[in-house]
Amino acid sequence: MEHRPAESGWNLEVDLPSQRGASRLVTDELLEQLGIHGWSPSDIFAIHLAAEEAIVNAIVHGNKLDPAKKVHVSCEVTPGLARIRITDEGEGFDPGQVPDCTADDRLEMPGGRGVMLMKSFMTRIEYNAKGNSVLLEKRHDAAAG
Amino acid sequence: MATHRRIDVSKVGDVSVVKFQDRKILDEASIQELGLELFGLVEHDNRKSILLNFKGVEFLSSAALGKLITLDRKVKSHKGRLKLCAIRPEILEVFQITKLNKVFDIRTDEAEAIAAFA
């Protein structure tokens, strides 16, 4: 079967339950669509990692696994752009207050690496003012490889 | 002998070589189970030389990294040694970004890692 990039791209909007493992309801299809749109395995790894970390953060830290709350995810994939917005119903947080996980005194802490990985692997990451919604963006162009 | 669902453990000389059953280590329940099995190698089986062979592992979330860090602490507190090997480039980049390549002794392949235990 031959896959061709869809001219108009692929879009998805979905509400996830606040339960562990729910990220797969989005990521399985997201990964498939990234492949169809010609993204490289290393880019797909990067986008997968960032999306996984953000969705888990939203479910566990944002909604605190409250079954009454949802995590809204919207995705857009074209051959040149992958954009994912993840919004939870929690109180939000200040990403500027997340300690540097690479500081010597925090290097061996078990947690706190998700936000740094998102920033490193994506072209752009932006939180809303409340801190309960994050935009992840990766651009693919000739210069970026 | 403990039964493992997330790992496969074999012995090469004195070294316990651990391989992972999952290609993608991301599901939180599985990571929890993985952590318990890894910790058991140290706390119950009293294994002193442990090599984690990541051959075949395609994805690792930060929650899994947390388990590896806790394992490293437990190994050190039991005066053992832990090494990692055969990590694919994308996952190695995760270790480099988080500077965990400074915490763990990471080797290219199993043979090099086994030799480094000597």
Side-chain angles (χ1 to χ4, degrees):
Chain A
M1 186 166 61
E2 184 180 271
H3 292 298
R4 290 182 189 158
E7 285 178 17
S8 58
W10 169 77
N11 292 276
L12 175 73
E13 298 247 353
V14 64
D15 284 325
L16 300 179
S18 294
Q19 60 191 42
R20 296 182 194 278
S23 60
R24 287 200 63 176
L25 298 172
V26 170
T27 53
D28 283 355
E29 194 173 355
L30 173 63
L31 299 189
E32 185 184 349
Q33 289 295 332
L34 287 166
I36 289 170
H37 286 80
W39 288 77
S40 70
S42 63
D43 279 340
I44 293 174
F45 174 91
I47 296 162
H48 183 193
L49 185 70
E52 182 72 28
E53 298 290 341
I55 293 170
V56 169
N57 280 352
I59 291 172
V60 177
H61 302 301
N63 286 352
K64 302 189 189 308
L65 295 165
D66 181 346
K69 293 179 177 175
K70 302 288 185 192
V71 172
H72 185 75
V73 181
S74 64
C75 304
E76 177 188 350
V77 173
T78 70
L81 174 72
R83 180 184 286 142
I84 305 147
R85 179 174 283 284
I86 294 133
T87 306
D88 62 58
E89 297 178 28
E91 294 175 0
F93 79 112
D94 179 358
Q97 295 299 312
V98 176
D100 179 3
C101 64
T102 64
D104 285 343
D105 61 336
R106 299 195 66 83
L107 202 50
E108 297 190 36
M109 300 287 265
R113 293 177 177 79
V115 174
M116 167 170 269
L117 289 170
M118 284 184 248
K119 285 180 180 170
S120 299
F121 278 112
M122 301 302 280
T123 311
R124 177 179 164 220
I125 158 172
E126 198 172 284
Y127 284 88
N128 66 349
K130 185 180 175 184
N132 71 327
S133 182
V134 62
L135 177 72
L136 305 171
E137 209 173 86
K138 194 163 186 74
R139 290 187 177 275
H140 181 262
D141 54 39
Chain B
M1 182 67 76
T3 303
H4 298 126
R5 291 187 349 140
R6 297 292 160 204
I7 55 176
D8 174 53
V9 186
S10 59
K11 288 279 274 185
V12 178
D14 292 333
V15 180
S16 296
V17 179
V18 177
K19 290 178 180 160
F20 298 89
Q21 296 286 357
D22 299 304
R23 286 188 302 118
K24 296 187 176 185
I25 305 175
L26 59 85
D27 172 68
E28 285 205 51
S30 303
I31 290 171
Q32 191 68 19
E33 197 173 14
L34 172 65
L36 292 175
E37 292 181 8
L38 290 173
F39 303 159
L41 297 177
V42 183
E43 295 174 328
H44 299 130
D45 302 349
N46 204 30
R47 296 176 192 247
K48 297 290 187 190
S49 300
I50 298 174
L51 171 61
L52 304 183
N53 184 336
F54 283 83
K55 186 174 182 185
V57 176
E58 298 172 0
F59 189 92
L60 195 70
S61 72
S62 70
L65 289 178
K67 295 297 180 194
L68 299 183
I69 291 165
T70 303
L71 173 67
D72 185 58
R73 285 183 182 169
K74 289 180 186 292
V75 169
K76 284 173 179 164
S77 71
H78 282 73
K79 304 203 184 311
R81 290 187 295 167
L82 174 70
K83 298 184 192 301
L84 282 53
C85 75
I87 300 176
R88 61 186 290 153
E90 290 91 348
I91 297 177
L92 193 57
E93 193 178 350
V94 170
F95 281 84
Q96 289 162 343
I97 289 167
T98 54
K99 296 192 179 175
L100 289 176
N101 55 330
K102 298 201 302 191
V103 173
F104 295 105
D105 184 358
I106 300 174
R107 304 288 175 150
T108 306
D109 55 35
E110 186 172 312
E112 183 196 326
I114 295 286
F117 277 102

